Amino acid sequence: MLLLAFELYARRASALGSDSLAPVSAAVQAWWGAALDGSLWQATAFTLGTAALGLGVGSLLALTGGIALGLSARAARMGFMTTELLRTVPSVALIPLAMLMFGFGVRMEMAVVAFATFWPLMLLVQAAVRQVEPRLLEVSRVLGLSARERAFKIVLPAIAPRLFVALRLGVAVALVVAVTVEIAANPNGMGYAMMIAQQSFDPALMLAWLGWIGVVGYAVNAAMLRLQQCVARRMGAA
């Protein structure tokens, strides 16, 4: 119903001489054209690949830091002020610094995505570790397990369900930040393609990219949810 309403509104606006909107049918045609010439798949692959790299780096660092802070109350107290100061820095504010350090391209975007995903993931991992059954940790200490063995044999299996919830949040953040970086600075990916369409006064293609970004985000989230359910079943969840 919303698409039909927008179609009728855009057609009426076009009839009155407005060129700032395009009907849904024109956006679909523009999407099909981008799919046929390959630009759609090239930009999508760049955005998803860069977001995945940044999420991977941010997740690995967040998992390590979250487990360390969750297991050690002293480390959590020492790192509290640093965490609270840095996690409030908007990730897009790092774009100028990342451009100076890495230039345009994959590394710059990956660095900003990694920074944006690191802080929420680390805090969620830290909270999950703190809720691990204390008796499990006591048993690990009695058995003389090393810190590495404790993390892999006790902590990670215990926090696996919450870890996937954190990863789903990280995936959403990574995609949003990746597209934002491309709109603001990086001449690659879906965000840049949408900006080029807007600057070229091609509202149909711009709306096509906007709708496609939404579809890609939905598909990625659905894939993560499916993966979470598969892992939960393998771990014995009903």
Side-chain angles (χ1 to χ4, degrees), residues 87-100:
R87 75 182 184 89
T88 58
V89 177
S91 56
V92 293
L94 294 181
I95 292 178
L97 177 61
M99 289 175 61
L100 287 175

Side-chain angles (χ1 to χ4, degrees), residues 5-27 197-198 201-208 210:
F6 186 83
E7 174 81 15
L8 296 176
Y9 177 78
R11 286 181 179 272
R12 178 176 176 80
S14 298
L16 294 176
S18 173
D19 57 355
S20 60
L21 291 178
V24 177
S25 55
Q198 181 263 330
F201 299 100
D202 190 349
L205 184 57
M206 182 188 68
L207 291 175
L210 180 60

Side-chain angles (χ1 to χ4, degrees), residues 88-171:
T88 58
V89 177
S91 56
V92 293
L94 294 181
I95 292 178
L97 177 61
M99 289 175 61
L100 287 175
M101 295 177 62
F102 305 112
F104 295 106
V106 173
R107 293 192 300 167
M108 183 269 287
E109 187 171 329
M110 182 184 69
V112 178
V113 171
F115 179 88
T117 56
F118 171 76
W119 300 108
L121 289 181
M122 189 190 71
L123 293 177
L124 289 173
V125 172
Q126 180 183 355
V129 172
R130 287 180 175 176
Q131 295 177 11
V132 173
E133 176 60 46
R135 285 175 294 184
L136 293 175
L137 299 176
E138 291 175 5
V139 170
S140 68
R141 283 191 288 267
V142 171
L143 294 176
L145 298 181
S146 64
R148 181 177 178 276
E149 291 173 331
R150 192 184 311 168
F152 281 93
K153 295 182 179 181
I154 302 294
V155 175
L156 284 179
I159 68 172
R162 291 177 182 151
L163 187 59
F164 270 95
V165 174
L167 283 176
R168 285 181 61 198
L169 172 64
V171 166

